[in-house]
Amino acid sequence: MAYLTNLYDSSRCTACRGCQVACKNWNQLPAVIEPFRGNYQTHEDTNADTFTIVKMIETEDPVDGVIWNFLKYQCMHCFDPACLKVCPRDAYTKTSWGATVHDPDKCIGCQYCTYACPFEIPKYRKREDITTKCTLCADRVEEGLQPACAATCAPGALMFGNRNELLQYAEDRVKHLRANGFPRATIYGKMELGGLNKLYVLTDTPDKFGLPVDPKVPGQIPFWKDWVQPYIGWLIPLALAGSATSFVTTRILANKHGKHDEGGHE
Amino acid sequence: MQLLPEYKQDVPRVERFNMVARLTHWGHTVTFLLCLFTGLVLFLDGVDWLAAIFGGYSGAGLVHRISAVIMTLVIVFFVVFDFKGIINWIKDILRFGLNDIKFLLVFPLEFLGFPVKVPPQTRFNGGEKGNSIVTSTCVILLVLSGYIMWFPAIFPAGWVRVAYPVHDIAMVFATVMVCMHAYLGSFHPGSGESFWGMWKGTVRSDWAEHHHATWYEETYGEKAQTDEAE
Ligand code: HEM
Ligand code: HEM
Ligand code: SF4
Ligand code: SF4
Ligand code: SF4
């Protein structure tokens, strides 16, 4: 099945935060009020009751002066999700259309996924001892609806649909932006981490939007999951087998050489 | 078939481990094994029957944490009440020398039950010195990485990511040692008597003299007796 993606076009976003509200509403998430930090961004980062936020990033450019970039931020629904790989409870599944879905009933709150995710997206919800994150509204999409955030977006900055078609749209849009005053406009999510089931049209380079330019799963994670876990554990049955062998041979040899003189030798 | 050597009361016996050391050792054994089996539930990526023993996955997590805290308290107990014992233990490990190397060379044969000639050993033989170093190091690593994994939010993210493989590697090496150590300290015919040293506190004098000649000589030998009399 073709992947269904939620594309975000930063050049169309007005930072109204309707998506933030729609997400809270659909997922029945309580409000989380963070102290005012001197800018318009409501939350420092996503949290256990806030699956998506609109980041507002100010940068100073020597030519263009102060620029204000907006970015809707949430789970990227990676093609090859690190969260899914580390979860000891197999709480994550990938739907046939590309959403990374988390099952709260399986989750034990170990937070391995939080630290494996290149964006540290899954967040710990203490009251239930689980992690949570954006679901790509799998429950809505499977009923033929759009994700709540995309459905609510008035200026059309969020568009949900076939990934290939949206990729075409994104390429055309970037071409248009580059020709019209945004020479560094780019697509994000096409190739990053082998592909994200989330596409961004950015008016500038990803770092100007607080995104890692070349996101990577931290090296300790593949070392742990691909080397330590599958192989070194075999030393344990080996040691057990050694002791079992000794248990038998010591008793056979004791019969041959005479008793161990009650625990002595010679 | 005889598993443990008989505990003989009517022969001369010498003290090997005091009460604090014995309580620490067995408190540690119980909590270590509980941590091990509840941890393996996750290490083996979801073994439902093993989790079921502890009342499911959250039950296993709870047992792991309770045992971890008790294990930590046991270590504190040991440090507080027998600090001198720990120092003497470390001092003995530091005496690692030629006789220990010779011990380790013939040990595989002794392990399997072949009669071998072993040079005189100090309080802990070459194998026990090795076990002491590897197991203690791994347990310290397990405790440190374990608390980081338990409370990741208060540590830098980089430490948390390092803690995962460290916890698993330390678990494997400690468990490999324990598999052989627990067997040697109980059902192995040659060293089984040491079990009583850890259980009741004393071992047969002739066994001590035979297995730990240097220690026996220094602690209970003629010279030690006259030193004490002086
Ligand atoms: C103070 C001591 C310890 C603490 C605080 C601790 C804590 C933890 C925590 C928080 C986890 C994450 C899983 C969860 O949330 O339940 C864990 C996993 C684990 N622990 Fe421990 N632990 C300790 C000692 C031990 C010991 C002594 C062993 C084994 C000999 C052990 C073996 C394991 C294993 C095998 C895992 C699973 C790792 C994986 O998923 O690959 N732990 N521990
Ligand atoms: C059923 C399991 C176990 C049995 C039967 C057992 C038995 C013993 C005995 C008899 C000794 C005294 C050896 C001597 O005379 O020097 C000993 C020492 C020791 N035990 Fe255990 N033990 C067990 C489990 C453990 C576990 C789980 C640990 C740690 C994780 C441990 C750590 C140690 C250490 C560090 C020593 C001192 C060094 C040595 O003698 O090797 N033991 N044990
Ligand atoms: S962004 Fe993080 S949480 Fe989302 S799918 Fe990728 S690895 Fe998983
Ligand atoms: S916190 Fe939950 S979802 Fe994340 S790795 Fe642990 S069990 Fe899996
Ligand atoms: S897709 Fe659904 S869960 Fe994800 S940010 Fe949008 S509304 Fe929230």
Side-chain angles (χ1 to χ4, degrees):
Chain A
M1 193 171 167
Y3 269 18
L4 299 174
T5 289
N6 202 1
L7 177 138
Y8 169 81
D9 184 343
S10 72
S11 69
R12 289 177 188 265
C13 178
T14 61
C16 73
R17 291 175 287 215
C19 51
Q20 251 179 264
V21 177
C23 178
K24 286 256 177 191
N25 202 14
W26 175 255
N27 292 298
Q28 303 202 315
L29 300 168
V32 182
I33 295 157
E34 288 185 4
F36 181 66
R37 269 167 298 105
N39 64 13
Y40 285 96
Q41 192 171 317
T42 51
H43 301 82
E44 180 71 37
D45 194 358
T46 59
N47 59 55
D49 291 316
T50 311
F51 299 169
T52 187
I53 56 169
V54 176
K55 291 195 181 187
M56 303 200 183
I57 299 149
E58 269 175 69
T59 44
E60 252 193 75
D61 189 281
V63 186
D64 303 330
V66 175
I67 309 172
W68 220 18
N69 287 329
F70 309 137
L71 183 91
K72 181 185 178 292
Y73 188 66
Q74 72 299 299
C75 170
M76 304 293 173
H77 300 277
C78 314
F79 283 10
D80 182 14
C83 56
L84 184 151
K85 180 173 176 153
V86 295
C87 179
R89 295 287 296 116
D90 298 329
Y92 287 101
T93 42
K94 199 83 187 146
T95 66
S96 60
W97 50 276
T100 310
V101 182
H102 170 258
D103 179 354
D105 293 333
K106 284 192 174 166
C107 179
I108 52 162
C110 66
Q111 301 166 67
Y112 294 171
C113 51
T114 307
Y115 291 91
C117 170
F119 306 95
E120 287 188 38
I121 285 295
K123 294 288 183 322
Y124 184 58
R125 181 184 279 172
K126 207 171 171 188
R127 63 176 184 276
E128 287 169 86
D129 191 24
I130 55 167
T131 54
T132 62
K133 70 168 192 71
C134 157
T135 61
L136 199 48
C137 281
D139 46 351
R140 287 172 62 96
V141 172
E142 273 156 26
E143 294 299 321
L145 295 168
Q146 297 214 340
C149 53
T152 209
C153 182
L158 285 171
M159 276 170 268
F160 185 75
N162 181 302
R163 188 173 187 272
N164 294 332
E165 288 165 20
L166 287 171
L167 201 54
Q168 192 55 52
Y169 164 88
E171 261 150 24
D172 293 345
R173 185 73 188 158
V174 163
K175 234 179 261 164
H176 173 80
L177 288 168
R178 284 190 177 165
N180 289 279
F182 298 99
R184 292 178 302 273
T186 183
I187 301 178
Y188 192 81
K190 184 183 174 188
M191 303 296 243
E192 281 73 14
L193 288 159
L196 308 176
N197 194 27
K198 172 78 196 176
L199 289 171
Y200 283 96
V201 171
L202 302 177
T203 50
D204 206 333
T205 46
D207 55 302
K208 298 288 191 313
F209 288 83
L211 287 169
V213 176
D214 183 17
K216 275 200 177 65
V217 178
Q220 298 91 339
I221 300 296
F223 170 67
W224 173 39
K225 281 282 155 175
D226 297 338
W227 295 98
V228 174
Q229 257 197 355
Y231 299 113
I232 69 157
W234 289 104
L235 290 172
I236 296 172
L238 219 66
L240 278 175
S243 290
T245 310
S246 160
F247 186 87
V248 176
T249 55
T250 45
R251 280 157 177 85
I252 294 173
L253 288 169
N255 287 338
K256 228 163 116 189
H257 298 286
K259 267 242 178 272
H260 246 109
D261 195 23
E262 294 184 319
H265 298 276
E266 275 108 21
Chain B
M1 183 169 15
Q2 194 188 11
L3 291 178
L4 276 174
E6 195 191 334
Y7 178 71
K8 286 195 172 150
Q9 234 162 350
D10 48 355
V11 296
R13 305 189 68 87
V14 290
E15 183 183 60
R16 181 135 173 90
F17 293 107
N18 65 22
M19 191 52 125
V20 176
R22 283 180 282 149
L23 281 175
T24 304
H25 180 264
W26 295 116
H28 201 82
T29 302
V30 171
T31 50
F32 182 90
L33 294 178
L34 282 173
C35 275
L36 176 63
F37 286 109
T38 50
L40 283 180
V41 165
L42 296 183
F43 181 75
L44 302 171
D45 256 346
V47 259
D48 291 340
W49 60 268
L50 191 55
I53 296 173
F54 302 99
Y57 287 90
S58 48
L62 188 65
V63 173
H64 198 80
R65 283 164 174 75
I66 293 172
S67 313
V69 170
I70 299 175
M71 178 188 289
T72 315
L73 293 177
V74 167
I75 296 172
V76 172
F77 165 82
F78 194 21
V79 174
V80 170
F81 290 100
D82 195 13
F83 191 69
K84 222 175 121 218
I86 298 181
I87 297 296
N88 287 338
W89 183 22
I90 296 173
K91 272 189 186 156
D92 196 71
I93 295 170
L94 292 178
R95 286 179 75 179
F96 190 90
L98 197 58
N99 283 351
D100 293 298
I101 296 173
K102 282 188 191 152
F103 175 92
L104 288 173
L105 287 177
V106 294
F107 177 70
L109 289 174
E110 140 120 57
F111 185 65
L112 293 172
F114 291 97
V116 290
K117 194 114 186 79
V118 177
Q121 298 291 302
T122 65
R123 176 154 194 208
F124 295 100
N125 63 38
E128 289 168 342
K129 288 192 179 85
N131 179 47
S132 301
I133 294 168
V134 175
T135 312
S136 318
T137 310
C138 287
V139 167
I140 292 167
L141 289 175
L142 278 163
V143 171
L144 293 179
S145 59
Y147 283 110
I148 294 174
M149 286 157 73
W150 189 352
F151 304 106
I154 59 175
F155 295 97
W159 292 20
V160 181
R161 297 190 184 105
V162 172
Y164 297 148
V166 166
H167 205 70
D168 280 359
I169 292 171
M171 179 276 287
V172 169
F173 284 107
T175 306
V176 162
M177 295 310 285
V178 166
C179 285
M180 295 191 285
H181 163 79
Y183 162 70
L184 277 164
S186 54
F187 301 154
H188 187 271
S191 54
E193 173 70 14
S194 68
F195 177 82
W196 297 117
M198 206 36 119
W199 192 253
K200 301 230 178 194
T202 59
V203 289
R204 287 196 336 259
S205 306
D206 63 323
W207 181 88
E209 195 174 0
H210 186 97
H211 280 252
H212 299 276
T214 311
W215 171 67
Y216 186 82
E217 200 46 49
E218 287 169 1
T219 324
Y220 302 107
E222 267 166 38
K223 191 164 175 302
Q225 308 280 338
T226 44
D227 279 0
E228 226 165 88
E230 269 164 21

